[in-house]
Amino acid sequence: MEDLLLLIISSPSGAGKTTLTRELLRTFPDFTFSVSHTTRKARQTEVDGKDYHFVSRDDFQKQVDQDAFLEWAEVHGNFYGTGRSELDRARKQGKRGIFFDIDYQGARQIKAVMPQACGVFILPPSMEELERRLRGRASEDEQSIEKRFKKARLEIEHYGLFDYLVVNDDLEQAGARLRSVIYSELSTRKRMATHAEDLLRYGRLEPKS
Ligand code: ADP
Ligand code: 5GP
């Protein structure tokens, strides 16, 4: 069984998943963030190797040919992919879970190979507010903002691929809901069964060697 909690967080661009994921990483320091590869240009605030691995189209294609990606997709005219090595890194670091900030196409691919992955889709409170946030972020040019906004409906139409839907109206409340999803996932019978078995066998949780 895969012990690592695989948590996919998707949303139409601008709904707030980057903001929410950053906050989750502060609450759950024993989780890590899957750093994707992308052919998109870095935004001013982004750090190579931390937010994304920024690569050329040629480099990206090479990695596709080498089957280095767990999933990959074209999103808003750029390529994005999750390296298989991200899972190994999380395991080696002894992490309890990993957050994937990926789109619905990537979520579908990960669910196909790892059905135990949990998918959360972040919804904006309204399309009007989504557009406001996209513009407020001011990290893209007008053309790119329009492309992202037009794509939002298509992304929302795929909500059926996800296990949980969280509306990001008030940031604090959305964060609380997201945390409760993670606590739920950490508390499933499947995940906790060994603890119950240890109690029955040893009268306490088995001491870690
Ligand atoms: P995404 O990663 O989904 O594209 P971001 O996290 O970059 O979205 O958020 C887009 C913009 O909206 C950012 O400027 C962010 O500060 C803002 N934002 C995020 N959540 C909220 C919220 N609940 N209320 C108001 N603004 C928000
Ligand atoms: P952005 O350019 O705003 O950072 O991301 C654009 C979209 O690409 C977002 O929906 C984001 O979730 C998605 N994305 C980021 N990394 C990956 C990835 O590795 N795979 C897939 N399929 N989508 C990704």
Side-chain angles (χ1 to χ4, degrees):
M1 190 199 133
E2 170 69 84
D3 273 329
L4 200 62
L5 180 59
L6 312 169
L7 206 100
I8 300 166
I9 303 182
S10 288
S11 77
S13 188
K17 67 187 167 315
T18 307
T19 310
L20 287 162
T21 309
R22 278 203 192 125
E23 198 182 295
L24 282 178
L25 281 167
R26 280 194 290 272
T27 311
F28 298 96
D30 49 356
F31 277 55
T32 189
F33 175 70
S34 167
V35 182
S36 296
H37 283 70
T38 182
T39 60
R40 156 165 92 60
K41 293 233 155 33
R43 295 176 186 143
Q44 266 187 348
T45 54
E46 288 176 327
V47 179
D48 190 22
K50 185 170 167 272
D51 297 293
Y52 280 108
H53 298 290
F54 295 97
V55 294
S56 67
R57 289 201 169 219
D58 278 355
D59 276 352
F60 193 94
Q61 188 56 48
K62 262 185 216 146
Q63 300 212 40
V64 170
D65 295 343
Q66 289 164 358
D67 196 28
F69 292 127
L70 193 56
E71 64 73 35
W72 66 272
E74 185 176 350
V75 191
H76 314 307
N78 291 300
F79 291 97
Y80 295 82
T82 305
R84 294 184 189 279
S85 58
E86 285 303 279
L87 287 182
D88 298 334
R89 175 178 65 79
R91 289 194 191 102
K92 272 193 200 123
Q93 291 176 343
K95 297 288 181 184
R96 225 171 155 198
I98 181 163
F99 298 120
F100 299 96
D101 172 345
I102 59 177
D103 85 324
Y104 71 88
Q105 305 173 82
R108 185 158 48 201
Q109 293 172 55
I110 288 199
K111 280 276 200 178
V113 289
M114 298 184 298
Q116 75 276 23
C118 170
V120 184
F121 194 74
I122 311 291
L123 291 164
S126 67
M127 299 310 280
E128 211 184 333
E129 173 63 13
L130 180 68
E131 190 171 9
R132 213 177 356 252
R133 287 185 195 169
L134 267 175
R135 293 189 185 286
R137 188 167 64 185
S139 55
E140 279 102 357
D141 55 28
E142 180 61 27
Q143 200 188 7
S144 179
I145 289 174
E146 272 172 28
K147 210 192 280 180
R148 280 157 195 269
F149 186 64
K150 281 200 187 122
K151 206 62 187 295
R153 276 194 74 84
L154 173 75
E155 293 180 43
I156 297 170
E157 277 165 12
H158 287 86
Y159 74 86
L161 290 167
F162 297 87
D163 304 293
Y164 297 91
L165 305 181
V166 172
V167 177
N168 180 19
D169 189 351
D170 174 76
L171 190 60
E172 209 29 66
Q173 280 180 22
R177 285 208 176 220
L178 212 44
R179 290 194 291 278
S180 73
V181 165
I182 294 169
Y183 288 126
S184 298
E185 288 296 309
L186 289 172
S187 309
T188 57
R189 185 183 63 216
K190 204 168 172 188
R191 197 165 278 278
M192 295 302 291
T194 53
H195 291 256
E197 292 296 331
D198 283 351
L199 273 176
L200 292 171
R201 197 168 303 142
Y202 309 111
R204 62 188 165 97
L205 302 187
E206 189 183 17
K208 291 224 161 65
S209 50

